[in-house]
Every structure is written in structure tokens, then in C-alpha cells.
Amino acid sequence: MHHLKDSFKHKGMRKRLVEALKNKGIRDEKVLEAIGLVPRHYFFPKDFWDNAYDDKAFPIGSGQTISQPYTVACQTQLLNIQPGDVILEIGTGSGYQAAILAQLGATVFTIERIEALFKSTSQLFSKLKVPIHCFLGDGTIGLPSKGPFDGIVVTAGGNSLAEQLKVQLKPGGKLVVPMGDRSIQKMVLIKKVVENKYERTEHGEFKFVPLLGKYGWET
Ligand code: SAM
């Protein structure tokens, strides 16, 4: 693991990223503040640190990507995190989205199916001393043993209705899941109003790597 250092240069680049996200329509001040505070370059290979503040997805190895900051901002905004919320993330990847959730005061559980990413990101979290709980496995089945959750966020593109995840929400809880085909997905927000009653809304189109697993795409 490389030495982590947050320089003035990176702080300046982060400020410009926050401005760019505002210009693209991100309005939630707390989300913008969190993006302004979490050094995104820590979640990048060191050779590419200077790419970390472009509003772009970027390869992180194992054929996966760190999500675009705009996408992270949109998904986080939809969750409307309150300090103390218990959030499940499906698709740990680089760990950046989980770190944003933790910065907002959430207790975060995150699942990754690729062992190499699970290992490197768990190590990064211990180095950063962030209390994010990492699990290795198929996130499409959720994490019933740690639920129910105030929010569940899926950071890979799914294809099914996510019934098994809805039931792991608390009443008032929110599931944010990109759903569609392998090439394009709609951002779906499912709110559990009360037990057995849900509201579903759609929030724009995105392009994610596929969610693979029992309730996702076949590998
Ligand atoms: N949240 C990540 C970040 O901030 O870097 C996004 C990473 S990437 C867009 C999506 C991740 O979901 C990949 O690391 C991929 O391996 C993972 N993934 C795909 N299907 C999964 C599943 N069934 N369970 C857990 N993780 C899965």
C-alpha cells in the first residue's frame, strides 16, 4: 500500500470538482461537503492520482471501476443520509462511495464479490481508520444478518426487481439501485413507506458495470 498524502494541489483539485458537480445540478450541501473532504485520490492507484478529480469513472483493476463522482453524488443524495443511519452498500470496489457515506455519519456495511478488491479495500479502510465493515460475497442477496437498514445502495447495474433487498429496509428506508440492461440503467429509488408498502421513482440514466450474482446477471 502506498503512502497516503493529501496535498494542497489535491485539495484545490477537489474544490474544483465540487464546483463542477454543483454546475451539473448536485444541490445537497452535505453531499458536496463530503466530496470536498474525502481525498478521492486515496482510492486510486498512485500513478493516477492526478486523474482522481476528473468527473469520470476510472479503472481500479479486476475489470472494475471507481464510479464517477457525479454518480456517487446522485446516489448519495437519494439516500438522504442522517448521522447514525445504518447503510448497506453492494459493490465495495475502490471504497470511495462507502467513505462518502461514512463521512456523512453513517455506519456502513459493504459487500464485494471480487476477493482482490475486498482485500485491498479492507486494508485501505484500516489504514484510513474508517469504521466501514467489509464483507466478501454475493451482495445481490443483501446482508440480512446486519439489517434492517436505513438505506441500501447498489453500485453495479442490476436487472431484477430487488425484492430480496427491499425487505431488508427499515420502514422509511430507501433502496437506490441502477436497473436496466447491461449497457444502460435507470436510477431507481424504492422507499419503504411502511411494512409491505413501497414507492418507486426513477432518477436519470447511468452506465454501471454489471451486478453479477444470484439476483443479478450471470457471470
Ligand atoms: N462503490 C464502488 C466505488 O466507489 O468504487 C463502485 C465500484 S464498481 C462501479 C461496482 C462494484 O460492484 C465492482 O467492484 C464489482 O465487483 C461489484 N459487484 C458486482 N456484482 C456484485 C455482487 N453481486 N456483490 C458484490 N459486489 C458486486
Side-chain angles (χ1 to χ4, degrees):
M1 173 74 54
H2 46 251
H3 182 65
L4 300 172
K5 187 173 177 293
D6 193 21
S7 65
F8 281 116
K9 181 174 88 174
H10 291 121
K11 286 193 176 101
M13 290 165 95
R14 208 146 65 230
K15 270 197 181 153
R16 285 199 293 280
L17 171 62
V18 169
E19 287 310 310
L21 294 176
K22 274 189 193 165
N23 290 337
K24 289 182 183 176
I26 302 299
R27 290 282 167 264
D28 187 322
E29 287 295 334
K30 285 187 189 158
V31 172
L32 291 167
E33 190 188 17
I35 289 175
L37 287 170
V38 175
R40 188 168 182 255
H41 61 282
Y42 289 180
F43 303 84
F44 269 58
K46 185 156 192 319
D47 287 348
F48 299 100
W49 274 12
D50 285 350
N51 297 65
Y53 297 100
D54 297 339
D55 187 22
K56 287 184 183 152
F58 199 84
I60 53 169
S62 306
Q64 303 303 321
T65 52
I66 176 170
S67 299
Q68 183 181 346
Y70 177 75
T71 305
V72 172
C74 288
Q75 292 199 281
T76 310
Q77 228 175 216
L78 289 171
L79 285 169
N80 189 23
I81 306 283
Q82 305 301 315
D85 277 0
V86 182
I87 305 291
L88 173 65
E89 179 198 29
I90 296 163
T92 314
S94 69
Y96 179 66
Q97 168 76 79
I100 293 288
L101 299 170
Q103 179 66 44
L104 287 162
T107 297
V108 185
F109 294 90
T110 181
I111 316 178
E112 173 57 56
R113 62 178 287 279
I114 297 178
E115 191 169 4
L117 290 174
F118 160 77
K119 279 190 180 155
S120 57
T121 302
S122 311
Q123 277 170 17
L124 176 63
F125 289 151
S126 12
K127 191 161 181 174
L128 294 174
K129 299 192 171 54
V130 278
I132 296 172
H133 311 282
C134 295
F135 292 79
L136 175 64
D138 177 7
T140 66
I141 56 179
L143 198 61
S145 63
K146 301 291 177 191
F149 300 98
D150 296 289
I152 302 177
V153 57
V154 183
T155 70
N159 56 359
S160 76
L161 260 175
E163 295 298 324
Q164 71 292 349
L165 297 179
K166 277 160 57 171
V167 297
Q168 294 176 42
L169 290 172
K170 292 179 189 170
K174 301 177 195 72
L175 166 64
V176 176
V177 52
M179 273 198 282
D181 57 33
R182 273 194 185 241
S183 58
I184 192 116
Q185 303 89 30
K186 291 217 162 86
M187 192 63 75
V188 176
L189 170 66
I190 296 172
K191 280 190 197 167
K192 184 175 203 162
V193 187
V194 287
E195 218 52 62
N196 297 319
K197 187 168 186 292
Y198 298 90
E199 276 171 11
R200 182 187 200 275
T201 49
E202 287 178 1
H203 301 266
E205 287 193 337
F206 293 83
K207 189 172 169 29
F208 282 83
V209 295
L211 178 72
L212 304 173
K214 186 171 177 197
Y215 299 102
W217 298 100
E218 278 176 33
T219 49

